[in-house]
């Protein structure tokens, strides 16, 4: 199943620099029929809200309202929206540390996520998780992990539990390209294959592990080929800035997991416009490169498709954007007004409530 | 009362818990078809089948992490580490994931996993297979650490560990697997954090856990011949340790000697000693004594191995120092 080619999507000859490639028309047509226009517009709305939320998070960080690490997702929206869009409510999501947008895709509210980023008691993890540790058990969203690759064995265990209890549920897990050389990756995929677990491993290949280009740390550019060594399906989407392609690929992998209890390794080639985190000015790449990548912006391409197919007018889409901006701003205002956790919370939730002294 | 082996007591605990709760399963290297590297899981594959007694590859981080993930969503895994020497490979998952889940999720998640297996010194196994590493777990908020010394304790403690909603590290002294002891047929549980007085005495308190409890009992017998009445207390749970029991005993004997198989630096004995010195200072008639392994990797040569580990004579000497008794 592993796909050929090591060509970068931007060099794939579809378009010269300056022209925006179109979303896959064939898949678009099929999804329109399958999902309906409103659902596609919802997906668009989600991606716009992700973008605006992350821009607001960046501003809040610069204002000192958000502390610690803050890894923004801007540019990768098609990945979160397309992949989580392919899930049922009973499925599980495990994420890494760049997971704000994924949490949104899973239905977590901007206000609650932003409150967590601000370290407030009303945040999704009561202010004790922060940017890298967003959890919502009801929505089956598990993650943010702060350790590179630490989430991969855990997600494998979530899939194991789903199969053990015959839940007919699948677990998808996100990881960056930087996790693949980790032992955790190899140990987990091997287990998932020998035990037939319903899990989809998604490598979000945005080209860089922190500031190190993928080709400097990985023996192969197409990491989905590593699936072969685990007797597992491997799929690469070279243009994962196309939300339709992501949706279709992950849908197939999820259905395969659901029906056959078999794992898939998927590499989604994407790009982040910002640095690794807010403290990274990303000087390791050229302005030309970023500009070139922005030519295949997942949101702009979606805008174009919606307009060309007369699903919404440009003005209507602008209105969606305006509302997304307002929502992000409101989330920041909300978070700012919330309380920090009480000092009593400091020692809460280390263990289940326990009569023995631990301190 | 019937007598069974330490390893059999552990097996009974797992079998009983797996019978009463479908979400409990056992996973680890050689636990199923081989019946366990130390034969703790003997016969369990036949009883429960391959769905619940699961052989893993030799990849500790992977399967420990998988167990942690399964625990996060409600299963109750028992992960056997063939020995705790190898459990170091899984330490990232245990420390960074299992121990932190409840806290960093704001109480939304728990991780009811038991990670158990052999620890402590073996017989001439050399530096990489013969270590007491409980301190590295006891150091971590979020983990509970249990180390039984007898078959009776092993069974009652493991059952408690399996039912505990937090991650529990359960270290079994490798040398203890073949020891025998009385274990009742009827069900019982030993509470987390509850120590045990293994021998009453009035002159000095010997504090130990796991194999060192037996060393202290031997030393107490010798001391009794010389008219020194030592109380031997077994912490059983290292974190949280039973402060009440220690306080009661030290208030009675006014002297404490801590005996541990591990190294002295940043150790469990060091932490217990610190607590006694701070909380019970007014009751002490002598500095807290400490016996521990020599601060070197375990040598292979068995004459050196014996010289490295705490001995009965070391305990006797420490007691005499604490009681100001000339030998």
């Amino acid at each position: 199943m592993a796909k050929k080619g090591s060509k970068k999507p931007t060099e794939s000859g579809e378009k010269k620099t300056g022209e925006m490639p179109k979303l896959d028309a064939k898949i678009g047509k099929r999804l329109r029929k399958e999902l309906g226009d409103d659902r596609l517009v919802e997906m668009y709305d989600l991606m716009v809200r992700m973008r605006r939320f992350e821009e607001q998070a960046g501003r809040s960080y610069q204002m000192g309202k958000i502390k610690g690490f803050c890894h923004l997702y801007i540019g990768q929206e098609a990945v979160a929206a397309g992949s989580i869009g392919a899930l049922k409510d009973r499925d599980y999501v495990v994420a890494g540390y760049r997971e704000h947008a994924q949490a949104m895709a899973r239905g977590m509210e901007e206000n609650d996520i932003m409150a967590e980023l601000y370290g407030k008691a009303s945040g999704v993890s009561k202010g004790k998780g922060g940017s890298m540790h967003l959890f919502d058990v009801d929505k089956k969203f598990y993650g943010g992990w702060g350790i590179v690759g630490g989430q991969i064995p855990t997600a494998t265990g979530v899939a194991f539990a789903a199969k053990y209890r015959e839940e007919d549920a699948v677990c998808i897990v996100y990881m960056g390209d930087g996790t693949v050389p980790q032992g955790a990756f190899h140990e987990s995929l091997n287990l998932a294959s020998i035990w037939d677990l319903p899990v989809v491993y998604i490598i979000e290949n945005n080209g860089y592990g922190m500031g190190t280009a993928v080709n400097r740390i990985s023996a192969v550019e197409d990491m989905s080929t590593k699936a072969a060594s685990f007797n597992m399906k491997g799929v690469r989407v070279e243009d994962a800035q196309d939300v339709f392609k992501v949706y279709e690929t992950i849908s197939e992998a999820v259905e395969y997991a659901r029906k056959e209890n078999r794992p898939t390794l998927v590499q989604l080639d994407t790009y982040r416009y910002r640095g690794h985190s807010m403290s990274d000015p990303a000087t390791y790449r050229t302005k030309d490169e970023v500009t070139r990548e922005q030519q295949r912006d997942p949101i702009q391409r979606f805008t174009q498709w919606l307009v060309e197919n007369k699903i919404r007018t440009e003005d209507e889409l602008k209105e969606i954007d305006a509302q997304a901006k307002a929502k992000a701003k409101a989330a920041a205002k909300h978070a700012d007004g919330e309380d920090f956790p009480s000092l009593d919370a400091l020692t809460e939730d280390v263990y289940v409530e326990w009569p023995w002294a631990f301190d | 009362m019937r007598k069974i082996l330490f390893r059999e007591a552990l097996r009974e605990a797992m079998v009983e818990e797996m019978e009463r709760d479908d979400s409990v399963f056992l996973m680890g290297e050689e636990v199923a078809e081989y019946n366990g590297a130390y034969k703790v899981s003997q016969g369990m594959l036949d009883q429960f089948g391959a769905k619940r007694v699961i052989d893993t590859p030799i990849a500790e981080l992977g399967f420990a992490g998988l167990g942690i993930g399964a625990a996060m969503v409600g299963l109750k895994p028992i992960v056997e580490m063939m020995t705790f020497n190898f459990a170091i490979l899984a330490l990232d998952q245990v420390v960074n994931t299992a121990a932190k889940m409840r806290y960093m999720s704001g109480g939304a998640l728990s991780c009811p996993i038991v990670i158990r297996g052999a620890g402590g010194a073996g017989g001439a196994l050399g530096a990489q297979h013969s270590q007491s590493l409980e301190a590295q777990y006891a150091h971590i908020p979020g983990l509970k650490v249990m180390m039984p010394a007898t078959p009776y304790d092993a069974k009652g403690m493991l059952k408690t560990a399996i039912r505990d909603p937090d991650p529990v590290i359960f270290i079994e002294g490798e040398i203890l697997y073949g020891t025998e002891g009385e274990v009742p047929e009827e069900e019982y549980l030993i509470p987390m954090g509850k120590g045990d007085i293994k021998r009453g005495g009035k002159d000095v308190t010997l504090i130990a856990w796991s194999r060192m409890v037996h060393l202290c009992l031997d030393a107490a017998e010798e001391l009794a011949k010389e008219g020194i009445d030592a109380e031997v207390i077994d912490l059983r749970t290292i974190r949280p340790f039973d402060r009440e029991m220690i306080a009661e005993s030290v208030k009675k004997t006014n002297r404490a000697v801590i005996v541990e198989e591990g190294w002295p630096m940043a150790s469990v004995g060091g932490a217990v000693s610190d607590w006694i010195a701070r909380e019970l200072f007014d009751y002490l008639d002598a500095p807290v004594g400490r016996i521990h392994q020599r601060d070197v990797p375990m040598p292979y040569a068995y004459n050196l191995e014996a010289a490295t580990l705490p001995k009965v004579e070391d305990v006797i000497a420490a007691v005499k120092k604490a009681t100001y008794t000339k030998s």
Side-chain angles (χ1 to χ4, degrees):
Chain A
M1 275 296 284
K3 294 250 173 91
K4 73 291 153 164
S6 60
K7 279 191 285 182
K8 281 270 187 196
T10 44
E11 298 162 1
S12 62
E14 298 167 44
K15 297 279 168 194
K16 293 244 183 306
T17 308
E19 267 183 82
M20 193 166 60
K22 296 199 171 187
L23 295 186
D24 191 297
K26 249 166 94 182
I27 307 175
K29 201 173 167 189
R30 199 159 57 234
L31 289 185
R32 192 175 176 187
K33 214 171 147 192
E34 191 186 311
L35 301 174
D37 288 354
D38 287 351
R39 175 75 201 285
L40 291 176
V41 174
E42 268 174 37
M43 210 182 263
Y44 175 82
D45 172 75
L46 172 66
M47 285 168 64
V48 175
R49 283 192 291 116
M50 287 172 182
R51 175 74 56 94
R52 298 309 182 200
F53 181 89
E54 291 290 68
E55 286 168 353
Q56 178 59 50
R59 281 192 295 275
S60 294
Y61 190 92
Q62 279 160 343
M63 289 163 65
K65 298 284 186 184
I66 297 173
K67 312 269 187 195
F69 291 125
C70 185
H71 309 89
L72 300 182
Y73 202 71
I74 299 171
Q76 302 185 203
E77 293 87 353
V79 170
S83 53
I84 292 178
L87 299 182
K88 308 246 187 268
D89 286 348
R90 62 179 183 276
D91 297 324
Y92 297 88
V93 180
V94 177
Y97 51 72
R98 194 184 302 283
E99 88 287 25
H100 310 159
Q102 290 153 352
M104 288 174 68
R106 199 52 177 160
M108 290 160 72
E109 297 291 334
E110 277 106 320
N111 279 2
D112 303 334
I113 298 170
M114 193 66 90
E116 187 61 36
L117 304 189
Y118 275 55
K120 298 302 178 73
S122 63
V124 290
S125 305
K126 296 188 184 164
K128 285 159 103 175
S131 167
M132 297 184 290
H133 308 297
L134 307 176
F135 299 94
D136 189 327
V137 174
D138 292 339
K139 298 207 159 59
K140 298 200 166 179
F141 187 85
Y142 299 87
W145 256 249
I147 306 293
V148 169
Q151 75 278 29
I152 310 173
T154 318
T156 310
V158 170
F160 175 93
K163 184 186 173 187
Y164 188 96
R165 290 191 294 234
E166 298 174 21
E167 289 176 4
D168 193 27
V170 175
C171 179
I172 69 168
V173 52
Y174 298 96
M175 64 195 84
D177 39 271
T179 60
V180 175
Q182 283 259 336
F185 173 89
H186 298 269
E187 294 182 31
S188 302
L189 270 67
N190 186 58
L191 290 172
S193 184
I194 59 173
W195 293 347
D196 295 316
L197 300 181
V199 54
V200 181
Y201 297 101
I202 299 176
I203 303 168
E204 293 187 79
N205 183 352
N206 61 22
Y208 297 88
M210 290 190 71
T212 302
V214 169
N215 58 19
R216 294 177 57 213
I217 54 97
S218 181
V220 291
E221 196 175 331
D222 180 358
M223 298 178 199
S224 71
T225 60
K226 292 189 187 262
S229 50
F230 306 109
N231 189 29
M232 185 186 292
K233 275 190 188 177
V235 185
R236 179 185 190 183
V237 179
E238 288 188 49
D239 182 8
Q241 304 301 72
D242 179 337
V243 67
F244 296 157
K245 283 183 183 166
V246 174
Y247 181 92
E248 184 173 78
T249 302
I250 302 304
S251 292
E252 281 169 12
V254 166
E255 284 318 300
Y256 175 62
R258 209 185 295 288
K259 293 203 171 77
E260 311 286 336
N261 269 325
R262 288 294 297 162
T264 306
L265 175 63
V266 182
Q267 172 171 312
L268 301 178
D269 291 2
T270 181
Y271 198 79
R272 60 166 150 82
Y273 297 169
R274 303 287 185 95
H276 166 72
S277 70
M278 285 301 294
S279 58
D280 170 21
T283 51
Y284 41 82
R285 55 193 197 184
T286 63
K287 211 172 171 180
D288 282 355
E289 177 185 308
V290 180
T291 310
R292 192 174 68 232
E293 289 290 343
Q294 284 172 337
Q295 292 306 318
R296 52 174 193 143
D297 183 85
I299 295 175
Q300 283 181 38
R301 289 163 73 188
F302 206 171
T303 308
Q304 187 185 51
W305 184 87
L306 288 167
V307 172
E308 280 181 3
N309 285 277
K310 302 192 172 19
I311 293 170
R312 293 287 188 277
T313 64
E314 258 182 71
D315 283 347
E316 284 169 331
L317 298 179
K318 272 183 190 154
E319 177 54 27
I320 287 177
D321 188 47
Q323 281 179 15
K325 273 183 191 160
K327 212 161 186 185
K329 214 173 156 187
K333 200 175 167 199
H334 162 81
D336 210 25
E338 292 293 289
D339 292 329
F340 283 106
S342 75
L343 287 180
D344 296 346
L346 181 64
T347 53
E348 276 171 9
D349 295 324
V350 181
Y351 305 93
V352 69
E353 210 173 302
W354 196 257
W356 296 90
F358 277 96
D359 57 343
Chain B
M1 201 187 292
R2 67 168 181 153
K3 285 187 169 179
I4 60 172
L5 299 178
F6 192 85
R7 61 162 61 86
E8 292 169 339
L10 293 165
R11 174 168 63 251
E12 281 191 3
M14 291 195 287
V15 166
E16 287 178 19
E17 292 307 301
M18 284 176 67
E19 281 171 341
R20 70 179 278 277
D21 184 350
D22 284 347
S23 63
V24 181
F25 67 98
L26 173 66
M27 175 171 66
E29 292 151 2
E30 312 282 10
V31 298
E33 292 195 10
Y34 191 82
N35 284 302
Y38 291 93
K39 298 289 173 268
V40 175
S41 56
Q42 183 107 41
M44 288 178 67
L45 173 63
D46 289 342
Q47 185 178 348
F48 295 103
K51 183 190 171 188
R52 298 181 68 195
V53 181
I54 305 163
D55 279 325
T56 66
I58 304 171
E60 289 81 3
L61 177 137
F63 69 74
L66 185 152
I68 289 162
M72 261 173 58
V73 293
L75 294 189
K76 305 209 70 172
I78 306 167
V79 172
E80 178 173 309
M81 291 290 167
M82 192 182 291
T83 96
F84 268 88
N85 302 288
F86 310 154
I88 298 172
L89 288 151
L91 206 54
D92 164 60
Q93 287 293 317
V94 175
V95 173
N96 278 320
T97 302
K100 310 290 198 294
M101 257 317 131
R102 188 180 295 281
Y103 197 77
M104 72 186 184
S105 68
L109 291 170
S110 65
C111 209
I113 189 172
V114 176
I115 296 174
R116 52 154 288 273
L125 299 180
Q128 294 179 337
H129 284 75
S130 210
Q131 310 180 74
S132 299
L133 298 171
E134 58 267 30
Q136 68 183 356
Y137 299 100
H139 186 60
I140 308 298
L143 301 179
K144 295 168 180 171
V145 186
M146 298 179 108
M147 292 181 76
T150 66
Y152 178 87
D153 289 350
K155 183 173 177 186
M157 288 165 64
L158 185 52
K159 284 170 72 79
T160 298
I162 294 167
R163 293 185 198 184
D164 196 280
D166 291 315
V168 179
I169 307 298
F170 196 94
I171 306 178
E172 302 147 8
E174 186 173 326
I175 300 288
L176 297 175
Y177 280 130
T179 58
E180 205 178 42
E182 290 188 337
V183 176
E185 305 268 3
E186 61 271 16
E187 172 164 276
Y188 62 96
L189 295 169
I190 293 172
M192 178 77 61
K194 191 93 185 95
D196 185 42
I197 300 168
K198 287 286 191 281
R199 181 193 196 278
K202 59 177 174 29
D203 296 332
V204 62
T205 301
L206 292 174
I207 301 167
W209 54 94
S210 191
R211 179 155 79 122
M212 291 297 108
V213 171
H214 301 283
L215 188 82
C216 289
L217 288 170
D218 291 347
E221 287 305 308
E222 293 298 314
L223 287 162
K225 291 175 194 163
E226 299 184 41
I228 300 172
D229 188 15
E231 177 149 299
V232 177
I233 64 179
D234 177 1
L235 292 184
R236 299 199 292 200
T237 300
I238 308 305
R239 179 186 181 102
F241 62 83
D242 191 341
R243 293 162 189 196
E244 216 170 287
M245 178 184 67
I246 295 173
E248 232 169 81
S249 181
V250 171
K251 283 175 185 174
K252 178 172 65 177
T253 65
N254 310 112
R255 294 171 167 85
V257 173
I258 302 163
V259 184
E260 71 183 315
E261 197 174 304
W263 296 301
M265 182 73 190
S267 70
V268 174
V272 173
S273 170
D274 166 72
W275 183 80
I276 294 172
R278 287 200 278 175
E279 298 296 323
L280 302 169
F281 181 79
D282 291 342
Y283 298 96
L284 289 173
D285 287 342
V288 177
R290 285 189 60 199
I291 302 294
H292 44 74
Q293 190 185 143
R294 294 282 294 276
D295 201 13
V296 293
M298 185 65 76
Y300 162 70
Y302 50 84
N303 66 322
L304 292 181
E305 183 183 63
T308 306
L309 289 165
K311 293 180 288 295
V312 169
E313 304 88 80
D314 300 331
V315 180
I316 291 171
V319 166
K320 287 186 171 174
K321 197 176 165 196
T323 53
Y324 303 100
T325 311
K326 288 272 175 262
S327 50

